[in-house]
Amino acid sequence: MKVLSFSFFIFWVLQVVFAQSITDPNEVDALNKMIDYWNLRGKLNITTDPCIKDATWANENANPRVACDCMGNTCHITNLKIYALDISGEIPSELFVLTELMDLNLGQNVLNGSIPPEIGQLSKMQYLSLGINNLTGPVPPELGNLTKLLSLSFSSNNFLGPLPTALGNLTSLQQLYIDSSGVSGPIPQEFANLKSLQILWASDNLFTGKLPDFFGTLTELRVLRLQGTLLEGPIPSSFSALNNLEDL
């Protein structure tokens, strides 16, 4: 009887052990390197598995925030928020190890350098905010690989050159914030594909050419801001189809 009881105990222990998912060690290593690179150890001193249950840094209101998906045997980091904490330097390569990221908010910091083309590897991303930084260089066309994006922001940066036509691949996009980002040239015709777009902030850029007629086909638009550009009129008659507009 004692042997049988002991066997059941061992079986129960094994069930508990194997039921506890652990985080992908490559992601843990990458996260810790980023924490140290951005000197965040005082605010995000993760000394255990970052995906432990009920972690304080996983709370929706936490900043910095790290949240995970532990549905399978391995946990993956899906949310990373480091907002308005004055982190500086370039976007580190370790970020692109977190290929399960769905929500990344690095807004209102002092990040510089360009957006690495590896950003296109984060193909599960739904919310991406890089606004209010000192990022430079061209807007990478690899952003067009993030076809699950619902919201994209790179406002208030120092980019150069035109918007990549590949942004027209983001057909699920509902919000696009690119005001004061430094981009120039014509608004790509491929933006006509953004049929789900509800909010477009594109003010204070050196856009040139005619005010795009295709904006009239983006009938989900509620907010359209284009002031402070070099766009020329007249306002296309197609704009009369934008029956959901609340802010023009």
Side-chain angles (χ1 to χ4, degrees):
M1 186 67 178
K2 290 183 179 179
V3 173
L4 187 60
S5 298
F6 181 75
S7 299
F8 276 119
F9 175 76
I10 294 297
F11 178 73
W12 175 80
V13 169
L14 289 173
Q15 278 190 317
V16 171
V17 169
F18 286 104
Q20 293 176 345
S21 300
I22 60 171
T23 307
D24 184 320
N26 293 322
E27 295 183 26
V28 176
D29 181 61
L31 178 64
N32 277 295
K33 286 180 179 177
M34 284 190 288
I35 290 172
D36 290 332
Y37 175 68
W38 282 325
N39 195 28
L40 287 172
R41 193 61 66 180
K43 296 183 176 69
L44 190 60
N45 189 19
I46 296 177
T47 57
T48 59
D49 191 312
C51 298
I52 59 173
K53 187 177 180 181
D54 300 324
T56 55
W57 53 77
N59 187 284
E60 287 190 5
N61 297 319
N63 184 32
R65 181 184 187 222
V66 179
C68 306
D69 179 357
C70 293
M71 293 297 290
N73 293 327
T74 303
C75 293
H76 294 284
I77 297 170
T78 56
N79 297 63
L80 180 60
K81 175 185 176 184
I82 306 172
Y83 176 75
L85 294 178
D86 292 329
I87 58 172
S88 60
E90 299 185 355
I91 296 175
S93 59
E94 286 81 8
L95 176 66
F96 309 113
V97 176
L98 309 183
T99 55
E100 300 294 316
L101 273 178
M102 299 173 64
D103 190 335
L104 174 63
N105 186 349
L106 300 178
Q108 202 167 321
N109 286 294
V110 201
L111 296 174
N112 56 42
S114 59
I115 300 177
E118 289 82 2
I119 193 77
Q121 298 173 11
L122 306 182
S123 58
K124 296 187 178 181
M125 193 77 70
Q126 296 181 18
Y127 302 91
L128 175 58
S129 179
L130 301 170
I132 316 180
N133 278 288
N134 292 325
L135 296 170
T136 56
V139 177
E142 288 79 6
L143 284 173
N145 295 342
L146 309 184
T147 55
K148 294 184 179 180
L149 273 179
L150 301 176
S151 179
L152 171 61
S153 171
F154 51 84
S155 299
S156 300
N157 278 288
N158 300 306
F159 295 111
L160 296 171
L163 291 169
T165 59
L167 293 182
N169 297 336
L170 307 180
T171 54
S172 297
L173 200 63
Q174 298 175 5
Q175 302 175 5
L176 179 58
Y177 303 97
I178 57 176
D179 48 304
S180 305
S181 61
V183 294
S184 59
I187 295 176
Q189 177 67 33
E190 287 76 6
F191 273 36
N193 299 328
L194 307 183
K195 302 299 186 184
S196 299
L197 203 60
Q198 299 176 18
I199 298 175
L200 173 58
W201 289 11
S203 305
D204 191 28
N205 289 306
L206 297 178
F207 291 128
T208 56
K210 298 291 185 182
L211 194 60
D213 185 73
F214 66 75
F215 275 145
T217 68
L218 307 181
T219 54
E220 297 298 316
L221 275 173
R222 294 187 292 104
V223 179
L224 177 58
R225 298 183 179 180
L226 294 168
Q227 68 267 32
T229 70
L230 300 177
L231 291 170
E232 302 175 1
I235 296 175
S237 59
S238 62
F239 276 39
S240 63
L242 301 178
N243 296 322
N244 291 317
L245 267 183
E246 302 168 359
D247 184 344
L248 173 62

